[in-house]
Amino acid sequence: MEYRPSIAIAVVLAFMFGYAFTLGPVLRAGVPVRRALPLAFASDTASITVMEIVDNAFILIVPGAMEAGLGDAKFWWSLGVGLAIAFLFALPLNRWLIARGRGHAVVHEFH
């Protein structure tokens, strides 16, 4: 599939930025890096995974979305709609995890 590099880069960046956004406040709260990294992984992995699967699947099924450039409306609306749909899938997962003391619940005390 010719889209593999673009999708792989998007997924890697999503995880990097997702973990970074969690690590920042945790590290500022004085948690050592050795403890902060597992907290970030525990709190974000499931949510980012679901978001990436759903968002990338939507982008792949929209004709021409992968070929659209930054100046194309199709790029922006497919990205926005894909993220909105992914949010609808990730929200119940995150609520379920938090209710069980997992997911973002493991880092709430540091925010």
Side-chain angles (χ1 to χ4, degrees):
M1 178 182 276
E2 65 214 49
Y3 303 127
R4 269 189 227 150
S6 294
I7 292 172
I9 291 168
V11 170
V12 167
L13 289 173
F15 277 94
M16 284 176 47
F17 279 98
Y19 291 141
F21 286 134
T22 296
L23 278 173
V26 173
L27 292 172
R28 281 193 298 278
V31 177
V33 173
R34 195 174 180 129
R35 176 72 179 124
L37 284 172
L39 288 172
F41 295 150
S43 70
D44 287 332
T45 301
S47 179
I48 296 171
T49 300
V50 167
M51 289 285 292
E52 285 303 298
I53 290 169
V54 174
D55 180 47
N56 284 304
F58 180 78
I59 297 294
L60 287 170
I61 65 169
V62 172
M66 288 298 293
E67 293 83 14
L70 294 175
D72 297 326
K74 183 176 280 189
F75 173 85
W76 293 105
W77 78 255
S78 62
L79 178 64
V81 172
L83 289 172
I85 294 169
F87 173 79
L88 295 175
F89 280 82
L91 181 65
L93 169 67
N94 284 317
R95 290 177 61 101
W96 183 81
L97 288 169
I98 289 169
R100 284 151 186 78
R102 302 196 185 277
H104 285 275
V106 300
V107 294
H108 275 216
E109 67 185 273
F110 304 112
H111 287 261

